[in-house]
Amino acid sequence: MPMLRLIFRVSAAVAALLSVSLAYGKDFGVQGNIWPIVEKDIRQIIMESAADVDWTAIGDDVRKKAETFVERLPKRTLPEVEATRTVWVDPSIDLSTDIQVPVKQPDGSLSWEVLYKRGTKVNPLNYFRPVTAMLFVNTADEEQLGLAKAVAAIEPDRIMIVEAGQGDVKKASEAMARIVFHANDALLSRFSVQYLPTLVYPGTGAQREFIGVTSFARPFQAKEVIAAWPELTTQKRVNSEKPE
């Protein structure tokens, strides 16, 4: 019992002390030198900067650049081949870093695990087979533009027309009544396009793991372009053999 009384008295004293400190808080004043804040509020700086901007002029500049974007695309001068030729390009890449993916664990959690180690050689054609080919042309050349029109008329869905020379994408699209794409340097380098016109397509058969790059010599013929991609002729034959 004496011990219980002691504990009770201590608890009561602590409670009383807390209540007194809360009820009789005291302001001890400033204990050191203070100075007014001289820096501007960052929000004020942002608002002042925004107010000084000529948004109308910026809008006009952006609109003008957007309207002339196609006209400002880079032009190139790529030669023609003297004889039609085909080069087979291996699209495989060597991974410079590990490729990791999240894997679900038995307890439901996810952990990152290595799917392909660094240095692994990966061929995209083993995982994805393109269903379209690309015909790179110089639409500033009337004969190449005519070839593109003829090819597009025969295979409007399977062959994309890509401007890679001195032509204007907008004018070419209007002349062909379809979208004409523009080739950037990375695309030309990736598929080793060095001549115009050139058809780029996924290989078949023994060349299944390669990209075919066929450049055509004059006189240009649409049927020669179509025949360069065996899958087109094979598909046409299969479709013709199907019972109606």
Side-chain angles (χ1 to χ4, degrees):
M1 291 297 291
M3 180 61 68
L4 291 176
R5 292 193 190 97
L6 177 61
I7 294 174
F8 176 77
R9 290 175 181 176
V10 171
S11 300
V14 171
L17 180 61
L18 290 175
S19 63
V20 169
S21 64
L22 292 174
Y24 299 96
K26 183 178 180 180
D27 183 359
F28 291 96
V30 178
Q31 301 302 311
N33 295 328
I34 60 173
W35 292 269
I37 299 175
V38 295
E39 295 85 357
K40 285 187 177 181
D41 190 316
I42 185 62
R43 294 168 296 181
Q44 180 182 351
I45 295 175
I46 294 175
M47 294 299 293
E48 291 177 353
S49 299
D52 293 337
V53 174
D54 187 346
W55 294 107
T56 301
I58 291 179
D60 292 340
D61 182 58
V62 171
R63 188 179 303 105
K64 183 178 179 181
K65 289 181 178 180
E67 292 173 349
T68 60
F69 173 76
V70 173
E71 299 174 2
R72 293 183 288 107
L73 290 173
K75 309 294 183 182
R76 303 180 185 83
T77 301
L78 296 180
E80 298 178 9
V81 291
E82 296 182 357
T84 298
R85 47 170 279 186
T86 297
V87 175
W88 296 100
V89 176
D90 183 355
S92 299
I93 56 175
D94 293 321
L95 300 181
S96 57
T97 59
D98 292 340
I99 302 298
Q100 297 183 327
V101 294
V103 178
K104 192 172 184 179
Q105 303 301 313
D107 62 357
S109 63
L110 294 176
S111 65
W112 289 92
E113 297 184 6
V114 176
L115 180 62
Y116 296 108
K117 293 183 178 181
R118 182 180 63 181
T120 302
K121 188 174 184 178
V122 179
N123 188 332
L125 291 178
N126 291 328
Y127 304 91
F128 174 74
R129 302 293 304 178
V131 296
T132 58
M134 295 179 289
L135 179 61
F136 293 82
V137 295
N138 174 20
T139 57
D141 182 289
E142 289 298 328
E143 291 189 45
Q144 291 197 34
L145 177 60
L147 174 67
K149 289 180 178 179
V151 170
I154 300 173
E155 292 290 346
D157 301 321
R158 300 297 301 276
I159 297 181
M160 298 185 299
I161 307 303
V162 185
E163 161 58 43
Q166 294 288 320
D168 183 293
V169 172
K170 182 179 179 180
K171 293 179 179 179
S173 297
E174 293 173 349
M176 296 189 60
R178 61 174 290 160
I179 296 177
V180 173
F181 299 91
H182 181 267
N184 57 31
D185 292 338
L187 188 64
L188 297 176
S189 175
R190 175 61 172 157
F191 298 116
S192 299
V193 177
Q194 301 176 8
Y195 305 94
L196 298 178
T198 289
L199 183 70
V200 174
Y201 52 92
T204 57
Q207 306 295 343
R208 181 178 176 78
E209 295 187 351
F210 295 88
I211 295 292
V213 182
T214 301
S215 302
F216 304 95
R218 295 178 186 266
F220 305 130
Q221 298 181 34
K223 62 181 181 180
E224 185 180 20
V225 175
I226 303 300
W229 188 14
E231 183 167 323
L232 288 179
T233 54
T234 301
Q235 188 65 44
K236 287 181 180 297
R237 186 179 67 254
V238 171
N239 291 338
S240 63
E241 294 175 352
K242 289 182 179 180
E244 298 182 359

